[in-house]
Amino acid sequence: MTSQSQQLAGLSAQEKRALLAQLLAKQNASTPTKPEIPTEYYVFKDFPEYIGLEKMLHEFEANGQSNPYFKSHEGINKDTTLVEGQEFINFSSYNYIAMSGDPMVTQAVHEATEKYGSSVSASRLISGEIPLHQELEQEIADLLGVDSSIVYVGGHSTNVTTIGHLFKADDLILHDSLIHDSSFQGAVLSGATCRVFPHNSWQALDRILEEERHKYKRVVILIEGAYSMDGDIPDLPKFIEVKKRHRALLMIDEAHSMGTIGQTGKGIGEYFQINSRDVDLWMGTLSKSFASCGGYIAGCRELIDYLKYTAPGFVYSVGISPPNTASALASIRLLKAQPQRVTRLHQSAQLFLELAKEEGLNTGDSQDTPIIPIIVGQALPCVRLSQALVSRGINVMPMIYPAAPENGARLRFFLNCTHTEEQIRFTVKTLAQEWSKIKSSQQ
Ligand SMILES: Cc1ncc(COP(=O)(O)O)c(C=O)c1O
């Protein structure tokens, strides 16, 4: 018998009950009661982020506006578009050089789908490679004047997986303040230190590098070829000079500059006539000028070989589909054969910009790109303006915070090479009229 059980044996039933009650009370006092888990941690409708979104969407209704997002387009998204059976002049498509919907591109898609099916059904590394993949990668490399390229299934995921994979905790990522979300997500994923420099300021970048370069192993600078909120172009020769002096790498996202700038649409490298090998990572999407879906990294052979065998978003993901590969390939070949598409795009963008300036509209820093913002300031008048234009047969999207700066809400006009002079003149005139009505109603 243990001494404890001997003790208990000597107690009366009443004493035993009292002792038990004492023990239980002690235990309850020492065991902290578990707090209730609030529903905002496990019920989606109670997530504060969701409640914020719901509030924003309700504000449209409360202000008598309809939700401008997720409108269904019932045909090809080009210089015109069909929404709920009505045709609009359209300025919200990335179909810059009208490749999506082009009969030759569509034909290539049909042929590839018939030959290879609609999916390659495996990672390319394992058994999903088709001859079109290599042809596309060679065309992209040739277009840019570098050794090689790798094509991924998404433009966004190209940045996330490439940046996230190549850089590590001992490295530094320096990015423009207006860099796209995809590069930013890749930078966070990498675990490297991230620093931002003011938009297009190679001078501020230079100063940061002067002080910080020696503290890190690899340093990469992330910029874009044309910025999609402002339609401006960075001074690439200056960025190259800075990156060389500080022994850093330079990566350029050409989502909006490929197919649109440079005399024949070869992007920012052609625009500035630089040596392509001075940029370490050329990134681009296939979803804009190239009428498809996917993204690429182009550069030296060693970089591309390494990514092909190790980048998670490539190795552990299916290969780009036959129809998507074929549409991008046909678009690049068509761009090479028909550079006049780019000439027409440049003329349309220039005409739009000049007319908007003549009307006294604020086009910010837009220059030499087919992206022209009309900056109006507050979100509500911006949404009103876009709806007024819709009622006059013009489709253009409002960009409000957080996509645009807090007091920099804007309508973002994407020109494409099939916009006619008549469409452009009518649009700018109507825009100026509607904006002046909204301004006077605010006073
Ligand atoms: C600068 C930039 N990079 C990357 C992407 C992602 O490309 P995708 O839409 O092809 O996934 C976009 C998309 O708009 C972009 O604007």
Side-chain angles (χ1 to χ4, degrees):
M1 239 193 200
T2 65
S3 64
Q4 234 174 8
S5 38
Q6 275 168 346
Q7 248 183 345
L8 276 176
L11 295 179
S12 70
Q14 201 181 1
E15 284 167 332
K16 278 185 193 161
R17 272 199 300 276
L19 184 65
L20 190 63
Q22 239 179 26
L23 282 171
L24 281 174
K26 223 177 180 179
Q27 196 182 7
N28 283 346
S30 62
T31 317
T33 48
K34 289 188 187 153
E36 272 289 306
I37 308 289
T39 57
E40 69 180 68
Y41 295 161
Y42 64 96
V43 176
F44 284 117
K45 78 173 175 50
D46 294 341
F47 280 23
E49 302 90 315
Y50 171 71
I51 292 169
L53 172 72
E54 209 187 18
K55 189 164 159 257
M56 188 193 87
L57 295 177
H58 276 139
E59 268 166 22
F60 286 126
E61 280 173 35
N63 289 308
Q65 314 292 327
S66 65
N67 181 343
Y69 303 111
F70 292 105
K71 272 186 216 157
S72 204
H73 292 253
E74 293 146 3
I76 296 165
N77 205 347
K78 54 186 178 81
D79 60 317
T80 55
T81 189
L82 205 61
V83 179
E84 292 178 3
Q86 192 192 334
E87 188 173 90
F88 292 86
I89 306 174
N90 186 30
F91 293 93
S92 24
S93 117
Y94 303 135
N95 197 2
Y96 293 119
I97 43 176
M99 293 299 183
S100 175
D102 182 282
M104 282 165 80
V105 175
T106 307
Q107 178 64 23
V109 168
H110 285 311
E111 285 169 12
T113 311
E114 263 172 31
K115 186 158 183 186
Y116 301 106
S118 53
S119 171
V120 296
S121 310
S123 163
R124 285 176 56 190
L125 191 69
I126 307 304
S127 57
E129 185 86 356
I130 56 173
L132 291 182
H133 288 146
Q134 285 167 22
E135 283 180 52
L136 174 60
E137 287 172 344
Q138 197 51 55
E139 285 287 356
I140 292 170
D142 292 348
L143 198 65
L144 286 157
V146 293
D147 299 344
S148 233
S149 83
I150 172 174
V151 168
Y152 299 81
V153 286
H156 191 281
S157 52
T158 297
N159 275 333
V160 175
T161 202
T162 306
I163 300 168
H165 184 55
L166 288 180
F167 304 99
K168 313 227 158 8
D170 292 332
D171 301 332
L172 174 65
I173 297 181
L174 287 162
H175 66 83
D176 189 283
S177 58
L178 296 188
I179 204 76
H180 189 257
D181 175 81
S182 50
S183 293
F184 182 73
Q185 299 289 343
V188 172
L189 175 68
S190 74
T193 301
C194 296
R195 293 248 339 233
V196 56
F197 58 88
H199 183 49
N200 281 339
S201 178
W202 54 267
Q203 299 90 332
L205 171 72
D206 193 21
R207 284 194 292 277
I208 298 174
L209 283 167
E210 202 62 54
E211 284 171 20
E212 304 285 321
R213 173 64 186 98
H214 64 283
K215 299 180 190 162
Y216 297 92
K217 291 182 176 170
R218 293 172 195 153
V219 174
V220 64
I221 301 158
L222 308 179
I223 59 173
E224 293 179 19
Y227 287 87
S228 67
M229 276 299 154
D230 293 82
D232 56 344
I233 300 171
D235 188 345
L236 182 54
K238 291 287 186 200
F239 277 93
I240 290 176
E241 196 262 309
V242 170
K243 85 108 193 173
K244 279 188 173 169
R245 195 150 32 78
H246 294 284
R247 306 271 192 270
L249 298 162
L250 179 61
M251 175 166 177
I252 306 185
D253 178 337
E254 288 226 88
H256 296 273
S257 50
M258 175 50 73
T260 67
I261 72 170
Q263 206 186 345
T264 63
K266 289 185 185 149
I268 192 170
E270 185 183 31
Y271 182 85
F272 283 108
Q273 295 288 309
I274 54 127
N275 177 350
S276 309
R277 287 167 204 278
D278 284 342
V279 171
D280 304 280
L281 295 109
W282 290 101
M283 181 272 169
T285 64
L286 305 179
S287 61
K288 296 172 172 70
S289 292
F290 298 151
S292 180
C293 189
Y296 65 82
I297 297 288
C300 67
R301 187 184 53 75
E302 296 80 359
L303 165 72
I304 304 305
D305 283 351
Y306 178 67
L307 291 175
K308 280 193 171 176
Y309 283 94
T310 63
F314 183 82
V315 172
Y316 301 104
S317 190
V318 71
I320 178 176
S321 74
N324 281 134
T325 315
S327 50
L329 185 55
S331 299
I332 296 177
R333 288 179 174 159
L334 215 48
L335 169 65
K336 284 184 180 166
Q338 299 178 351
Q340 63 274 21
R341 286 177 190 250
V342 181
T343 315
R344 280 208 306 273
L345 179 65
H346 292 172
Q347 287 162 350
S348 296
Q350 190 55 32
L351 176 66
F352 192 109
L353 188 66
E354 276 167 18
L355 293 174
K357 283 184 173 165
E358 274 169 28
E359 292 286 357
L361 296 163
N362 181 359
T363 54
D365 293 328
S366 175
Q367 186 70 44
D368 291 346
T369 74
I371 305 157
I372 303 174
I374 299 295
I375 302 167
V376 299
Q378 299 291 316
L380 196 54
C382 183
V383 175
R384 281 208 178 115
L385 183 57
S386 83
Q387 303 217 325
L389 291 180
V390 166
S391 71
R392 308 257 328 248
I394 299 162
N395 183 52
V396 59
M397 285 305 288
M399 291 287 136
I400 58 178
Y401 182 80
E406 204 150 11
N407 285 318
R410 63 201 58 202
L411 296 187
R412 192 169 55 157
F413 287 83
F414 290 111
L415 274 293
N416 75 46
C417 71
T418 49
H419 278 124
T420 63
E421 184 175 338
E422 196 192 347
Q423 286 171 332
I424 293 170
R425 287 189 184 278
F426 170 73
T427 299
V428 179
K429 215 6 89 250
T430 311
L431 171 62
Q433 285 166 359
E434 294 299 331
W435 180 224
S436 109
K437 277 194 226 162
I438 289 174
K439 272 196 302 187
S440 45
S441 75
Q442 283 177 319
Q443 283 155 6

